[in-house]
Amino acid sequence: MPDTAVLRTLPDDSIDAAARRLSDEFRDRLGPQYVRHIVQLARQDLSGVPLGAIPELVERLARTRLTSAA
Amino acid sequence: MGYVDVTGVRHTLPDGRVLLDDVSFRIGDGVRAALVGENGAGKTTLLRIIAGDLTPEAGAVARSGGLGVMRQFIGSVRDDTTVQRFLVDLSPPAVREAWDALEATELRLMETDDEPAQMAYASAFAQWGDVGGYEAEVTWDTVTVAALGVPYERCKYRELQTLSGGEQKRLALEALLRGPDQVLLLDEPDNYLDVPGKRWLEQRLLETRKTVLSVSHDRELLARVADRVVTVEGGTAWVHGGGFAGYPEARAARHERMAELRLRWDEEHERLVELVRTLQQQAANSPDMASRYRAMQTRLAKFEAAGPPPERPPEQKVAMRLRGGRTGVRAVMAEQLELTGLMQPFDTEIWFGDRVGVLGSNGAGKSHFLRLLAGQDVAHTGSWRLGARVVPGFFAQTHAHPEWQERTPVDLLWHGEPGRPGVDRGRAMAALRRYGLADQGDQPFRTLSGGQQARLQILLLELSGATLLLLDEPTDNLDALSAEVLEQALAGFEGTVLAVTHDRWFARSFDRFLVFGSDGRVYESAEAVFDEARVQRAR
């Protein structure tokens, strides 16, 4: 047996769900790729925040940034 | 691992009097120390210095292991503090600060939902997790279930004032005993607790491995729990290295030793003064004696500079004169009396001269019963009446006299009230002196210690000419000596006494008991009953 550990990561639902909702919300003004990028950045900026609070905070931050961009 | 090291602490009161001087002692890891002393001796001030609320004028306090403090006012919180805020305030400083930041950023976000506000909120959230806030919330859930029987989520917004004094105390004790702090300062932790609650507290304190310094006037609790006794008296503190059982003897021996040392010092001082005087006369006639005279002068100066040993602390003198007076043979009669929602109907007859202990669990209606007999408005059915010439005098449990807060004892005595004539300043001061309150005569009521407030209330009863004393936990804030004086005064009182008490020591002086059961039944008992279960109420 190799003496290594495999770090398994779980999919981050907060990004997918937020990107889906926000793409829909900003459909007329911004492209889905751009919306997803902003959501991913928001998620990065919020690293360290307890997981339970992540989905709400990511979506909120991304929405604020997208509103400014639009 | 936790300890408290107090070294050379000095504290002066705003009026210039030195309350504490050269106070030094150490409470080592795992020690359960009791802090005792007469009312007003400075126990609470010393606890506040150890807690860091007050900075000592001189000396230092070192401690390790995190400090949890239960303050004296817990049990009588009547403001809009919630259970949540209360538990936050009992938490370590890092948790408190993280919580406050979280609340502040949440508020800011509600007002301005922009990116900086969101990032500040996220950062406060991260900090909350980092300082162990979520673990604290899990502990709070355990605490509220243990103390109140409901989960944290269901009671966190409940105002503390809706809880009884005993429930407030228990909530604080559960939080501190289960919390991370290794040193606990408990200022009268047993006040407002019923006897099962006190037994629970004794057991928990015996089990904990934390270091505990507590102020209590409950002689049974002290005897069971304390393995050191720190005494504040004579403006300083000393430590008895054993339990409370051997404490009175140790204190008496110490006082005798102090008196002996002081006597020897005075005698030696007198001898040296006399020698100097004799040598002075001899030196006037004989130059040979001049050098001996100067040497003796130097010796006397050095002796006086070293100063006398501390004097034996003065004995507290409290003289209560509860006189009472002859009343009808039947002092209190109740038929099918029911306090709405609290108890089942019951009959009772209380005779002139009876000493009735009113016992039972917290929330069973005992205080309401006394308030009803005192003439206050308490919802009830059935009938009750007082006998001929029976004048009730009521001692309130939580000293809840908002109208007295800014008034001084002299003012309260001067003006009197319905049923209690006012007295002039001279008589007021004489009466206050008998109760050991002369120095507090012109202080606002709110600045008096719990024991001083209690003694003032008893003095007001004395002056009211009451022939039926209705006492709701009268010994709760009295030091052991004052409690004994009250017991003696009650023994000499010509009248009837009904007292709600959870003081097992005090209850021994009563001859019959009215027990308010947790099932709503009220019954008579010849023996004190302290194990009625807690009353369950809908929450």
Side-chain angles (χ1 to χ4, degrees), chain B residues 265-279:
Chain B
W265 191 93
D266 287 341
E267 285 173 355
E268 179 64 4
H269 184 242
E270 204 176 317
R271 191 182 72 83
L272 291 176
V273 168
E274 192 55 40
L275 259 174
V276 167
R277 204 174 289 138
T278 308
L279 287 170

Side-chain angles (χ1 to χ4, degrees), chain A residues 32-68:
Chain A
Q33 298 284 357
Y34 180 73
V35 169
R36 188 172 186 82
H37 176 64
I38 293 295
V39 171
Q40 280 171 333
L41 285 178
R43 176 65 186 88
Q44 269 176 31
D45 290 344
L46 290 169
S47 60
V49 172
L51 285 177
I54 283 286
E56 186 196 337
L57 293 180
V58 164
E59 188 165 333
R60 203 166 180 161
L61 182 60
R63 180 177 288 108
T64 303
R65 288 176 176 174
L66 290 169
T67 305
S68 306

Side-chain angles (χ1 to χ4, degrees), chain A residues 45-46 48-50 53 57 60-62 64-65, chain B residues 109 113-115 118-119 121-122 125-126 129 134:
Chain A
D45 290 344
L46 290 169
V49 172
L57 293 180
R60 203 166 180 161
L61 182 60
T64 303
R65 288 176 176 174
Chain B
L109 194 60
D113 192 0
D114 58 9
E115 188 173 330
Q118 288 177 20
M119 291 308 290
Y121 183 58
F125 237 125
Y134 291 102

Side-chain angles (χ1 to χ4, degrees), chain B residues 391-459:
Chain B
V391 180
F394 183 46
F395 178 106
Q397 182 182 5
T398 48
H399 314 301
H401 291 286
E403 73 282 11
W404 290 359
Q405 297 303 313
E406 297 305 320
R407 296 178 64 187
T408 67
V410 168
D411 182 48
L412 284 166
L413 295 180
W414 167 278
H415 282 98
E417 60 189 355
R420 177 173 60 80
V423 296
D424 62 37
R425 186 177 172 88
R427 282 192 61 200
M429 288 309 289
L432 289 169
R433 201 168 297 119
R434 278 195 294 109
Y435 277 73
L437 294 169
D439 291 340
Q440 288 75 37
D442 293 314
Q443 282 179 222
F445 182 80
R446 64 178 163 74
T447 66
L448 305 185
S449 71
Q452 288 164 344
Q453 292 184 353
R455 274 186 275 149
L456 179 65
Q457 280 209 78
I458 296 164
L459 170 58

Side-chain angles (χ1 to χ4, degrees), chain B residues 352-394:
Chain B
F352 168 75
D354 272 356
R355 299 293 187 264
V356 183
V358 182
L359 309 178
S361 295
N362 287 342
K366 307 183 299 293
S367 299
H368 285 77
F369 176 55
L370 255 56
R371 294 219 311 265
L372 177 73
L373 298 185
Q376 295 185 11
D377 191 16
V378 177
H380 68 282
T381 56
S383 66
W384 68 277
R385 65 189 175 91
L386 301 179
R389 296 183 300 283
V390 171
V391 180
F394 183 46

